[in-house]
Amino acid sequence: MRAPIGIRISSRRRTLAVSQAELARRIGISASYLNLIERNKRDVGGTLLLRIAAELQIDIEELTGASEHRLIADLEEAFADPLLQPLAPPAGTARQLVAEQPFAATAIARLHRAYQGALASVDDYANRLQADPLFSQLLHQILSGITAVRSSAEILEEPDLDEAARARFGATIGREARGLADTTRTLIGHFDREAGPRRAVSPVRELDDLIFARNNYFAGLEAAAVDLRAEIEGYGPFGEATLAAALAGRHQVGIRRSVSRELDALGFPGQYHFDPASRTMWFQTSAIAATRQFQLTRLYVELGAAAVIEAEVTAAQLSTEAARRLAYRALASYLAGAVAFPYERFLADAEAARYDIEVLRQIHTASFEQVAHRLVTLRRPGHEGIPFRLPALRSGRASHQAFSAARPAAAQQRPRLSALGHLRRLPHPRCTGAPGGPLHRWVALPVHRPGGNAAHLAFPRAFGLYLGDAGLRRAACRPYRLCRRTRPGRSGGGRPGRADLPAVHPPRLRRPPGGGAGAGRRPGSDPRPTGAALLLTNGRD
Amino acid sequence: MGFPAGEPEQGGKLALDVLIAEDEPSILESLDFILRRAGWSISAVTDGDAVLEAVRRLRPRLLVLDVMLPKRSGFEVLKQIRADSLTADLPVLILTAKGQQLDRRTAEELGASSFVTKPYANADVVGAVRRLLGEGVAG
């Protein structure tokens, strides 16, 4: 059903009323070669395809059918929604619809995306309520009080109750009723404050603002990290075994592993938790090395440097307890990252590996998210890495949202992606950055879930590209391409050779020739590459 | 807070019917009352750590377990009970809060025998205990 690329080229060329010979001349190939391409007798790709697309003034994705592919994938995902399962859409519906009713197909895909977004917001609000410790504590108190009152009242209704019991349960009802009144008052007060102007800012937003204000870099934590790292390395070379020794030696903490799932700190089944009473850190055996190393580091910094984290939180003058708690958690993670991935070394490795996250993961026994998170914090004044923005994608749905948001068509929904990871809507969404301002372009690449149905596009991976210079806008609108990963630039003695794995790199960024688009160019600007690909997955660890 | 039901029975000579693990004094008081009145022998503990010890020592026929316990959550307690071959078959009635589907799912995964949702009617608790102890309605 999908027109082969040659036919698309020839049809587009004829629409523009350009002769085959003329197009061949403009793109620098012979007319006979173009003829072969248009008849699908020759493959076309790479820079030649870019040139053809440029001459035909058409998006390369349209030419290759990639956008159509994605639309089909979007529709298949929409049809796979549990909501539509009773309709049992026949196989091939998506493909047929895209071919025959492209407008309807696009409309369905957009509506489904909007629906997914709305669902995500609902989940978000529900989670926020559940996650609010004060709120859930008050609810628990009210529920306990009502349970006691109801049960006691039923006892009082029993016919042959002796006087002592009657008096006892009467007193219970009175006591619990007074307790309920107090709790309810506190709850109402809580909501009153929530509604007040001082509480207009959500804790998450407040944390975001703090991170933005500090440009993702916390000098105090970085300094503490150096000391903590040295402390840990007193027990041996940095790693899981040494962390275990340091935790045992300094904090009398033991480590336990078991196959079954246990509950984490929030009471949900998880992969790890620390029990302060028994001073035991538990890991599920399936927890990966990166998770274990990072969580042990995190525990070490929370036990050994809580005061440092507290001081940063206090200095931030956050307005609510919830924001302070959030900030404490985020900054504890920051500090753990700074200890596990020391600034200078990590930056040098990142530069050498051209910010290849896979390589950095291997060098530092880190998960994708840990590496990505550390990359965004490389903002030491005078010694910065490439600027990144990192959205934290916690679920397939969020991932899908970022994926959708990557396309200009979905510019209305394009989230603002802040450093420690909260999806936020842009107040004035633009497909590209404001003139002269920083430019973000989000693109996405669908990937197949390993072992899954190859025809079904699972969670797409998105690539975020931050471009500090508005002059690069045109370059950013070029498609990404799959490249061979090269070895790290410097001699990576002992480091894994990884030339055999495919990697994705952004297109080579060229400044546009002359023209107003170069307005953002500054004299003497940094010759280093100004963009890098950042893979965003839905992994959670 | 002193509470008569919390006194462990001496020597374990009398088989214990129901061990209650609940930290809210008023709820514990009423649970103790209604279950005793229904004819069962009762003992009680008020935190998660004490449950495991009491289950091993008193060998109750049934455990009534609140999910929200201090020191060690009801989930954690349940998991350990199921992991210990001595107590793996003990019927456990979980007291959970209304609307906490996630709690309920977790407890099911961990091997809860039955649930009663707070705020409950006393008859619900008595009925659930009776079913788990395998006693007929007349029992």
Side-chain angles (χ1 to χ4, degrees):
Chain A
M1 196 112 5
R2 193 164 64 87
I5 191 164
I7 295 175
R8 288 169 194 278
I9 293 172
S10 111
S11 132
R12 175 70 185 166
R13 176 177 59 73
R14 275 179 275 121
T15 307
L16 296 179
V18 179
S19 73
Q20 207 171 44
E22 174 61 16
L23 177 61
R25 189 189 61 75
R26 288 194 211 157
I27 58 181
I29 60 172
S30 70
S32 57
Y33 189 56
L34 178 59
N35 187 38
L36 288 172
I37 290 172
E38 290 193 355
R39 285 161 51 217
N40 291 306
K41 302 280 188 202
R42 289 289 181 279
D43 286 338
V44 60
T47 51
L48 179 56
L49 187 57
L50 284 174
R51 288 208 301 276
I52 293 175
E55 283 304 331
L56 296 178
Q57 299 150 41
I58 187 172
D59 191 353
I60 192 155
E61 291 179 348
E62 237 171 279
L63 212 50
T64 59
S67 54
E68 201 169 82
H69 258 325
R70 282 211 310 251
L71 184 54
I72 292 171
D74 281 357
L75 278 190
E76 280 173 349
E77 182 160 333
F79 291 157
D81 196 295
L83 191 72
L84 298 184
Q85 280 314 293
L87 300 177
T93 307
R95 195 167 282 277
Q96 198 180 343
L97 193 62
V98 169
E100 292 170 7
Q101 299 283 346
F103 173 79
T106 308
I108 291 172
R110 278 197 207 174
L111 285 173
H112 182 249
R113 215 147 51 212
Y115 165 69
Q116 291 282 346
L119 279 185
S121 306
V122 170
D123 278 3
D124 197 34
Y125 282 116
N127 288 337
R128 211 175 292 170
L129 270 185
Q130 275 174 0
D132 183 335
L134 178 62
F135 185 69
S136 56
Q137 194 197 333
L138 290 173
L139 275 186
H140 175 68
Q141 283 175 13
I142 288 175
L143 195 67
S144 291
I146 289 173
T147 304
V149 167
R150 178 176 181 186
S151 182
S152 301
E154 284 184 16
I155 291 172
L156 286 185
E157 284 166 8
E158 294 196 17
D160 51 346
L161 202 64
D162 64 56
E163 271 314 307
R166 192 171 297 280
R168 187 149 60 97
F169 288 104
T172 300
I173 291 175
R175 187 176 66 239
E176 291 297 328
R178 284 190 295 278
L180 276 171
D182 286 346
T183 309
T184 311
R185 238 176 265 128
T186 311
L187 184 65
I188 290 168
H190 183 57
F191 277 109
D192 267 359
R193 263 203 313 283
E194 287 284 0
R198 202 174 62 87
R199 298 291 293 262
V201 176
S202 80
V204 168
R205 176 69 185 265
E206 222 181 341
L207 174 60
D208 263 7
D209 290 347
L210 166 66
I211 291 161
F212 262 72
R214 302 295 205 83
N215 195 20
N216 287 314
Y217 181 77
F218 292 80
L221 296 180
E222 295 285 351
V226 172
D227 296 340
L228 287 161
R229 173 91 177 191
E231 219 173 87
I232 293 167
E233 285 179 334
Y235 290 84
F238 188 86
E240 194 181 345
T242 299
L243 281 162
L247 278 166
R250 281 196 173 255
H251 302 293
Q252 296 79 47
V253 167
I255 295 168
R256 185 169 65 81
R257 292 173 71 172
S258 66
V259 178
S260 55
R261 276 207 312 180
E262 295 189 10
L263 302 172
D264 63 18
L266 297 171
F268 296 109
Q271 285 205 311
Y272 53 84
H273 72 81
F274 175 62
D275 176 22
S278 62
R279 299 198 80 72
T280 307
M281 183 74 174
W282 165 79
F283 288 106
Q284 192 181 25
T285 38
S286 65
I288 58 170
T291 299
R292 297 194 307 265
Q293 175 179 293
F294 191 82
Q295 292 306 328
L296 289 175
T297 310
R298 195 189 154 111
L299 180 61
Y300 190 90
V301 307
E302 287 203 41
L303 291 175
V308 178
I309 305 170
E310 246 356 306
E312 286 284 350
V313 174
T314 308
Q317 298 191 320
L318 300 169
S319 73
T320 66
E321 189 49 41
R324 280 188 288 277
R325 258 194 313 274
L326 268 183
Y328 186 91
R329 281 210 292 275
L331 293 181
S333 277
Y334 182 108
L335 182 54
V339 169
F341 319 121
Y343 193 98
E344 304 289 338
R345 200 179 317 167
F346 194 81
L347 177 57
D349 287 337
E351 295 273 324
R354 290 164 55 204
Y355 293 84
D356 185 323
I357 293 180
E358 268 305 315
V359 173
L360 291 170
R361 283 185 59 179
Q362 299 216 354
I363 296 174
H364 290 275
T365 318
S367 71
F368 176 86
E369 286 199 342
Q370 290 160 14
V371 170
H373 186 277
R374 188 57 172 147
L375 284 175
V376 304
T377 67
L378 297 178
R379 309 306 307 147
R380 177 174 293 170
H383 198 182
E384 292 107 335
I386 286 176
F388 279 100
R389 291 287 153 95
L390 166 68
L393 303 175
R394 294 210 175 78
S395 67
R397 192 179 288 152
S399 165
H400 185 263
Q401 207 170 31
F403 175 52
S404 311
R407 272 162 283 164
Q412 297 304 322
Q413 296 181 18
R414 205 162 67 88
R416 172 177 163 199
L417 304 156
S418 74
L420 284 186
H422 301 287
L423 286 164
R424 249 211 260 156
R425 305 259 182 261
L426 268 181
H428 305 293
R430 299 259 174 85
C431 171
T432 54
L439 168 68
H440 295 88
R441 161 122 169 132
W442 296 92
V443 294
L445 181 74
V447 291
H448 298 295
R449 191 193 320 222
N453 178 357
H456 179 71
L457 289 162
F459 303 117
R461 281 180 164 182
F463 300 81
L465 175 64
Y466 176 97
L467 298 167
D469 181 343
L472 295 168
R473 178 168 308 158
R474 263 180 57 180
C477 291
R478 296 239 174 90
Y480 280 53
R481 62 195 164 90
L482 269 166
C483 306
R484 283 311 222 192
R485 173 179 275 116
T486 53
R487 283 171 181 279
R490 66 176 182 185
S491 69
R495 300 225 163 106
R498 315 184 28 77
D500 51 339
L501 290 173
V504 177
H505 293 291
R508 199 172 295 126
L509 300 173
R510 279 185 312 206
R511 298 188 184 269
R521 209 186 309 173
R522 285 182 303 276
S525 61
D526 197 335
R528 286 182 309 172
T530 44
L534 177 55
L535 277 83
L536 306 166
T537 64
N538 58 317
R540 191 194 147 203
D541 57 354
Chain B
M1 168 167 292
F3 187 71
E7 305 294 332
E9 298 184 11
Q10 290 302 310
K13 283 194 291 285
L14 286 172
L16 178 67
D17 291 322
V18 181
L19 177 68
I20 303 172
E22 167 64 66
D23 65 314
E24 296 293 334
S26 301
I27 297 178
L28 178 52
E29 187 177 25
S30 66
L31 276 177
D32 179 81
F33 184 85
I34 58 172
L35 294 179
R36 272 184 204 281
R37 210 169 150 83
W40 293 298
S41 58
I42 307 295
S43 190
V45 289
T46 55
D47 72 60
D49 280 347
V51 184
L52 292 168
E53 186 274 328
V55 163
R56 289 200 195 94
R57 186 167 48 83
L58 300 171
R59 309 297 304 275
R61 295 169 63 206
L62 172 81
L63 172 65
V64 175
L65 179 62
D66 181 34
V67 168
M68 302 274 285
L69 282 180
K71 290 192 182 170
R72 195 184 288 258
S73 81
F75 296 132
E76 180 73 9
V77 170
L78 178 58
K79 194 171 161 316
Q80 302 218 358
I81 283 174
R82 290 292 177 248
D84 184 341
S85 62
L86 272 180
T87 55
D89 296 329
L90 174 70
V92 177
L93 173 63
I94 297 281
L95 299 183
T96 164
K98 192 162 175 54
Q100 301 294 306
Q101 286 97 338
L102 184 66
D103 278 4
R104 192 164 170 143
R105 219 161 45 234
T106 307
E108 266 167 5
E109 274 179 30
L110 293 173
S113 314
S114 190
F115 298 89
V116 169
T117 305
K118 290 179 181 177
Y120 47 74
N122 292 345
D124 295 343
V125 181
V126 174
V129 169
R130 186 164 285 147
R131 269 194 308 281
L132 287 176
L133 289 179
E135 296 171 9
V137 181

